[in-house]
Amino acid sequence: MLRPRLLPAFERISRYRLRKRGIQSRFVQTDIAKLHVLDGKGHGSLPPIVVLHGITSSSAAFGPLLALLQKHTRRIIAPDAPGHGFSEVPRIPLLPENLLDNMTSALDQLLDEPAIVVGNSMGGAIALHYAAARPERVRNLVLLSPAGALWSEEDLQRLLRAFRMESPRDARRFLNTIYHRKPWFGPLIAADIVHSAKRPAVGSLLDAATPNSGATPEQLATLKMPILFWWGRSERLLPANDFAYFSENLPKHAVIERPEGIGHCPHFDDPRATCQRIVEFAQSNML
């Protein structure tokens, strides 16, 4: 008998719980795929908050954080990238450049006022691109262990190896890398993690990655909006050189913090602390 896959079940449960809170599923059409979006009215006064996920992940993975942020914002928005979550598989290979272009198109369709844009990992790279391309639409930029630095060939290959998972053992090692503490449920979802890493959209993105896929110092220097850069002290997935790159090249006004007890995905390790810091930062820049 085949064991039921747990991650898709989790995504559906997360989406159901968010729906009960008024955060509904909708779809927006881009050039290469129809994208699924979690979109709901909030109960607070902050501008809309957009949350962007990382490679192999989805908007549903942010469920607890989205529910917490909803209390503080007028609207919460979390799209699934092409070939991720409940979005369509793109009709052409997903490459870094068309990923960025299509996520920009999706956000242009979704936003009707400047937003607080939050991105983790690959979502951080998307957030950086959107902030540079559409500065008038980004009220605040929050980067949680973002991808998007320029890499050395050695750092790129080490990162790619982490995503080239062939067995549950590889997946457990990956989970132990991204969490602050080793997750007890790792063995239960390890096979699903391998399946997610082998999605066509993930494979085409990884195959197309180059050391020059990230944001240049010149592009980072153009960012004028308030920026919060969070890099947990338990970050073990992205190269340490990435932290140095962003620390050196983000504008001087960027707030750079190294929170304790946080790994690559702050929304997994401590969604409440992550929400609190995003809200505090946004409120401090609303004056």
Side-chain angles (χ1 to χ4, degrees), residues 116-127:
I116 300 162
V117 179
V118 180
N120 171 237
S121 197
M122 179 185 78
I126 295 169

Side-chain angles (χ1 to χ4, degrees), residues 70-189:
Q70 187 186 22
K71 302 173 186 177
H72 303 277
T73 180
R74 295 193 293 271
R75 184 181 174 201
I76 193 80
I77 304 166
D80 287 335
H84 291 69
F86 295 99
S87 289
E88 285 184 343
V89 175
R91 293 182 289 276
I92 59 175
L94 187 62
L95 308 176
E97 53 269 29
N98 61 31
L99 168 70
L100 296 175
D101 288 345
N102 278 267
M103 293 303 288
T104 295
S105 172
L107 293 177
D108 283 351
Q109 295 177 60
L110 289 164
L111 292 175
D112 54 11
E113 63 173 304
I116 300 162
V117 179
V118 180
N120 171 237
S121 197
M122 179 185 78
I126 295 169
L128 280 166
H129 176 83
Y130 195 72
R134 303 285 192 269
E136 73 283 359
R137 291 174 175 261
V138 180
R139 185 75 177 265
N140 293 285
L141 180 61
V142 179
L143 304 170
L144 308 175
S145 282
L150 297 182
W151 289 312
S152 68
E153 184 64 33
E154 179 182 359
D155 281 343
L156 173 59
Q157 293 305 318
R158 185 183 70 82
L159 184 60
L160 292 178
R161 284 194 295 272
F163 285 97
R164 304 292 192 193
M165 289 173 265
E166 300 296 335
S167 69
R169 181 179 181 182
D170 294 337
R172 292 194 298 272
R173 186 182 302 115
F174 177 80
L175 288 169
N176 294 344
T177 299
I178 66 172
Y179 277 82
H180 167 61
R181 291 188 179 89
K182 181 178 179 180
W184 63 266
F185 50 82
L188 299 177
I189 65 170

Side-chain angles (χ1 to χ4, degrees), residues 22-84:
I23 301 175
Q24 303 291 332
S25 287
R26 59 178 293 195
F27 290 86
V28 295
Q29 185 68 54
T30 69
D31 289 342
I32 63 171
K34 184 185 295 184
L35 303 189
H36 170 258
V37 184
L38 293 173
D39 187 353
K41 184 177 180 180
H43 311 299
S45 59
L46 288 176
I49 298 179
V50 174
V51 180
L52 301 167
H53 68 79
I55 192 168
T56 77
S57 189
S58 71
S59 58
F62 287 90
L65 179 62
L66 299 179
L68 291 166
L69 289 171
Q70 187 186 22
K71 302 173 186 177
H72 303 277
T73 180
R74 295 193 293 271
R75 184 181 174 201
I76 193 80
I77 304 166
D80 287 335
H84 291 69

Side-chain angles (χ1 to χ4, degrees), residues 191-248:
D192 288 347
I193 296 294
V194 174
H195 184 274
S196 295
K198 289 183 174 296
R199 284 185 169 188
V202 173
S204 59
L205 276 175
L206 296 177
D207 289 343
T210 71
N212 298 318
S213 295
T216 65
E218 293 75 19
Q219 289 169 327
L220 294 176
T222 66
L223 302 175
K224 306 300 183 185
M225 69 288 296
I227 302 169
L228 173 64
F229 178 83
W230 246 33
W231 188 276
R233 292 192 179 274
S234 295
E235 170 64 66
R236 294 185 292 271
L237 178 64
L238 293 177
N241 290 333
D242 283 21
F243 176 77
Y245 181 84
F246 284 119
S247 297
E248 180 178 348

